[in-house]
Amino acid sequence: MTYEKIVVPTEGQKITVQNEKLNVPDNPILAFIEGDGIGYDITTASKRIWDAAVQSAYGGQRKISWMEIYSGEKAAQLYNGDYMPAETFEAMREFIVGIKGPLTTPIGGGFRSLNVTLRQVLDLYACVRPVRWYEGIPSPVKRPQDLNMVIFRENTEDVYAGIEYESGTPENEKLAKFLREELGAKFFEGAGLGIKPISAFATKRLVSKAIQYALAEGFDTVTLVHKGNIQKFTEGAFRKWGYEVAKEKFADVTITEDELWSQFKGKRPSGKVVINDRIADIIFQHTLLRPTEFGILATPNLNGDYLSDALAAQVGGLGIAPGANIGNYVALFEATHGTAPKYTNLDKVNPGSLLFSGAMMLEYIGWREAATKIYRAFEKTVSQKIVTYDFARQMEGATEVKTSEFANAVIQNL
Ligand code: NAP
């Protein structure tokens, strides 16, 4: 494939898929989107750390070849006002693994969120958010170390389907009439209307991914988070299809919570992942009061949205929460915060969210040693109280440093 503006590095090889597995060369080409606002600062700092961690872990045996691809304001400048050039999608399909900084969604002019567009066009159906605490990071709870969860949030339906009809429009009135007259539905005059599709197809591929991850990463449980007591045929169906796919595809390596008690007296047999479910409201209380009981949480879109931010707050906030959007193989890792425009080019903000997303990316391609080095070096730097402004204002006796200086300190500690 030839590209108009994207320069494919001459050094390095493509990651490919073989026998349903990623085949990662020692010198893979990884794509990156710099991002708007603080994107330049955090991407520059993080790339230095990722490269240094790979060097430190593999002593020159392995090396990343970075390939810049474009979206957001930088794309608009390069591609004549196009914020989301088609070749960005092509490059992600061809090179499979990439990472992105935050993107501004232009206000007005009928733009959809660039982030949502990327997920939908590339069919990145699982939004994956690991949440765990790192030594030294300020947290509002007593035992943040007890929390170690990964949220698998469905990325393509539920509220992300975007099927809504504004009150007073002909479409709304047509739908309201159909619902009342044909289906006997009752609701107030002039109500805005939205449709919440949840399918077996999307639920099963999401829950499958969550179970595969639990097995690969040694988690004991996969919890289906739903509001099925109220919305039986959408949220309740998510629960039902979640259990179904566990039986259909993972019968030999999973058991349900009922089976755990009826057959194993509550003691999980080794090698088995327990599949259970919890109602969406109670899960907030449970994850706060009994976090050790949970591992992987698989959720429809909206539940996962709230839960991701609430859990991130328990371990130090969104500024350092990593994330990824993953499809069948294509994976785009991303900072979970926005562009924080007031800090643009001030070399001030915390690169943690993007940095950890990159560590997830290294884990995804199987370079765990490098990822572990990043986590350890970050922890060490924070415990030395060398931090960016956001942590400095929550820590006594901290030395506040710039983004680039923080990167220097992490590299020193690798
Ligand atoms: P935001 O950019 O996340 O910033 C909100 C606040 O969060 C900042 O003012 C700052 O808090 C803190 N913050 C964010 N990133 C930080 C970092 N790396 N280090 C330290 N603190 C950080 O949210 P927003 O202001 O609502 O959104 C701004 C733009 O970002 C919008 O155009 C929005 O569409 C876009 N956005 C993009 C994404 C994405 O690309 N994934 C996600 C969300 C929003 P203090 O002011 O307290 O210092």
Side-chain angles (χ1 to χ4, degrees):
M1 172 93 201
T2 50
Y3 296 96
E4 190 195 335
K5 305 278 184 197
I6 295 170
V7 179
V8 178
T10 46
E11 256 187 36
Q13 289 98 44
K14 258 191 257 184
I15 293 175
T16 53
V17 177
Q18 280 172 1
N19 302 326
E20 302 187 353
K21 281 207 172 109
L22 285 188
N23 180 27
V24 181
D26 279 344
N27 185 191
I29 296 173
L30 297 179
F32 75 96
I33 295 172
E34 184 177 275
D36 301 325
I38 56 174
Y40 172 79
D41 286 344
I42 59 174
T43 303
T44 307
S46 299
K47 272 171 66 198
R48 283 172 48 219
I49 301 171
W50 297 324
D51 285 339
V54 169
Q55 169 64 29
S56 164
Y58 308 114
Q61 273 285 89
R62 288 176 167 171
K63 186 171 184 287
I64 299 167
S65 281
W66 294 105
M67 178 179 76
E68 183 160 16
I69 61 174
Y70 303 95
S71 178
E73 286 161 3
K74 204 165 175 181
Q77 280 169 14
L78 271 174
Y79 295 82
N80 237 340
D82 188 351
Y83 281 80
M84 189 52 86
E87 66 175 21
T88 294
F89 300 116
E90 287 313 316
M92 274 309 299
R93 287 195 190 99
E94 183 175 356
F95 291 90
I96 301 178
V97 180
I99 188 157
K100 64 174 270 295
L103 296 172
T104 309
T105 294
I107 295 174
F111 281 104
R112 294 205 65 183
S113 153
L114 297 178
N115 299 300
V116 176
T117 307
L118 268 165
R119 291 170 200 172
Q120 288 188 337
V121 174
L122 295 169
D123 197 22
L124 307 177
Y125 56 81
C127 177
V128 183
R129 296 271 177 93
V131 194
R132 71 175 206 243
W133 182 70
Y134 296 91
E135 188 74 40
I137 291 175
S139 154
V141 300
K142 282 188 190 151
R143 293 188 52 82
Q145 63 269 40
D146 287 349
L147 200 149
N148 181 17
M149 296 178 211
V150 185
I151 301 166
F152 277 69
R153 170 189 174 202
E154 208 290 324
N155 238 349
T156 64
E157 49 184 19
D158 190 6
V159 291
Y160 263 13
I163 308 173
E164 276 198 298
Y165 301 97
E166 190 181 356
S167 171
T169 61
E171 294 82 6
N172 175 293
E173 278 159 22
K174 192 170 177 183
L175 180 61
K177 187 167 154 41
F178 174 78
L179 290 171
R180 289 197 178 100
E181 292 178 10
E182 305 280 327
L183 303 180
K186 289 191 171 55
F187 47 90
F188 290 120
E189 265 318 308
L193 295 173
I195 305 270
K196 174 190 175 82
I198 290 193
S199 68
F201 169 74
T203 301
K204 287 185 175 184
R205 66 180 182 171
L206 184 269
V207 175
S208 292
K209 212 175 236 333
I211 295 173
Q212 277 159 355
Y213 185 94
L215 291 165
E217 302 293 327
F219 281 88
D220 296 349
T221 58
V222 172
T223 303
L224 308 166
V225 180
H226 61 90
K227 189 73 187 167
N229 52 331
I230 303 296
Q231 294 192 296
K232 297 188 174 21
F233 307 125
T234 49
E235 298 272 334
F238 178 88
R239 170 184 180 277
K240 180 177 107 159
W241 289 322
Y243 279 117
E244 254 175 43
V245 79
K247 277 276 167 283
E248 286 160 7
K249 285 178 64 181
F250 304 97
D252 50 340
V253 283
T254 59
I255 52 169
T256 63
E257 194 167 41
D258 287 347
E259 289 162 351
L260 176 71
W261 291 101
S262 63
Q263 295 172 27
F264 302 98
K265 297 190 177 134
K267 195 169 170 346
R268 185 181 66 88
S270 79
K272 303 264 188 196
V273 172
V274 177
I275 312 293
N276 59 19
D277 72 277
R278 296 289 182 272
I279 305 278
D281 41 285
I282 197 70
I283 194 83
F284 283 86
Q285 180 171 318
H286 282 171
T287 49
L288 197 52
L289 301 180
R290 289 151 38 191
T292 53
E293 291 178 16
F294 298 92
I296 309 292
L297 306 174
T299 84
N301 190 275
L302 187 59
N303 301 337
D305 198 8
Y306 301 146
L307 205 46
S308 303
D309 286 15
L311 292 184
Q314 285 188 50
V315 294
L318 279 177
I320 57 153
N325 295 292
I326 306 181
N328 279 340
Y329 299 101
V330 176
L332 187 57
F333 296 78
E334 66 171 1
T336 54
H337 54 70
T339 58
K342 65 185 176 188
Y343 297 123
T344 300
N345 295 333
L346 295 186
D347 195 15
K348 184 175 173 77
V349 296
N350 192 336
S353 174
L354 189 72
L355 179 67
F356 286 158
S357 303
M360 274 177 85
M361 175 168 71
L362 294 173
E363 288 168 342
Y364 188 72
I365 64 169
W367 293 12
R368 281 175 186 278
E369 300 79 5
T372 305
K373 276 182 177 278
I374 291 171
Y375 299 128
R376 299 253 164 83
F378 186 94
E379 261 176 341
K380 192 165 168 200
T381 309
V382 174
S383 62
Q384 291 165 340
K385 300 204 171 189
I386 300 171
V387 289
T388 45
Y389 83 97
D390 53 322
F391 282 1
R393 67 188 172 191
Q394 301 175 65
M395 289 164 84
E396 255 176 53
T399 308
E400 183 183 325
V401 293
K402 293 171 186 288
T403 313
S404 55
E405 294 166 340
F406 181 75
N408 295 343
V410 174
I411 290 169
Q412 283 265 312
N413 283 328
L414 277 170

